[in-house]
Every structure is written in structure tokens, then in C-alpha cells.
Amino acid sequence: MSERTLVLVKPDGVSRGLVGEVISRIERKGLSLVALELKHVSRELAEQHYAEHAERPFFGSLVEFITGGPVVAIVVEGVRAIAAFRQLAGGTDPVEKAVPGSIRGDFGTEVQYNLVHGSDSPDSAKREIDLWFPNL
Ligand code: RTP
Ligand code: MG
């Protein structure tokens, strides 16, 4: 069954020139791009996007990081797109969890600077797509 997910290439991924690499992996997996935008992220948007982490000790630095440079936001569509992109991304910690062959496993070293975001459930995907692409 086809579904949609929100992917972000985070500021570290954009500044390292990995946008094309991420898009290429999405396309080669067989998923489609529905919407794509280079965005400068406001503090409000960052805080809403990561609201579930508001009480975590890293929340402040996470918001600083996400607002620190442009991100590329992408709505991705396809069969099992939510889980499929999470698999492409790899685990949150690029060294301890993400395996080689995943985006984080191939290109990341630090847990905060882990290059990409992908929605983690159908409810998160709907909430995040509405937040980032209110006109879609
Ligand atoms: P994301 O939401 O960005 O797709 O990442 P995720 O599901 O794999 O990980 P999550 O637990 O939702 O954490 C969100 C983001 O917060 C940063 N983080 N920093 N300093 C730390 O210990 C720490 N832990 C998480 C990462 O950028 C992570 O992707
Ligand atoms: Mg998450």
C-alpha cells in the first residue's frame, strides 16, 4: 500500500553536499518525490517538528542545529515508504546503530549530526507533512 513520509536532509547533509546522494538513494529504492523545498527553518517550526523531544537534555542544541542552516524537506511516496526510508537512513547513532550501506552508516559519525530525518510512523508522517507542507 502506498504511503507518504517526510524526509529532511538536515543542515549537515546540505553543507556536506549530500542532497543528491540522499535523493538518489530514495529514487533507487523505488520511492517517488512528491514535493521538495530548500527551507530556512524558523525556531517555531523546529520546536514543533521535534516537540516529542521537548523535555530531553539535547532539545536546545537540536533546535540550534536544525535552525543553523538550510534543510531540504522532501515528501516521499511509495509502498511502505515510512519504514523503507528509515531503513535507508539507518539507526539514529551513525556509528553504534547505523550499518554501512545506510546513509548515516556511510556518511555520519555523531548522533546529533546524523544527516537525515524520516518520519517514524503514519501518525508522525501526517503531522510532519502538514507542518512542513501545509499547502500540499
Ligand atoms: P529523526 O527524528 O531526526 O529522524 O531521528 P531519529 O528518529 O532516528 O532519532 P530521535 O530519537 O527522534 O532523535 C531526533 C534527533 O535528535 C538528535 N539526537 N541527539 N545528543 C543526543 O543524544 C541526541 N539524540 C538524538 C539526532 O539528530 C536525532 O536524529
Ligand atoms: Mg525521530
Side-chain angles (χ1 to χ4, degrees), residues 26-40:
I26 291 168
E27 293 180 325
R28 281 150 59 202
K29 183 69 174 173
L31 303 171
S32 309
L33 311 185
V34 174
L36 185 152
E37 195 175 335
L38 183 87
K39 267 180 97 78
H40 293 81

Side-chain angles (χ1 to χ4, degrees), residues 29 82-91 99 101-103:
K29 183 69 174 173
I82 296 167
F85 183 77
R86 297 281 290 187
Q87 182 192 42
L88 289 180
V99 294
S102 66
I103 295 165

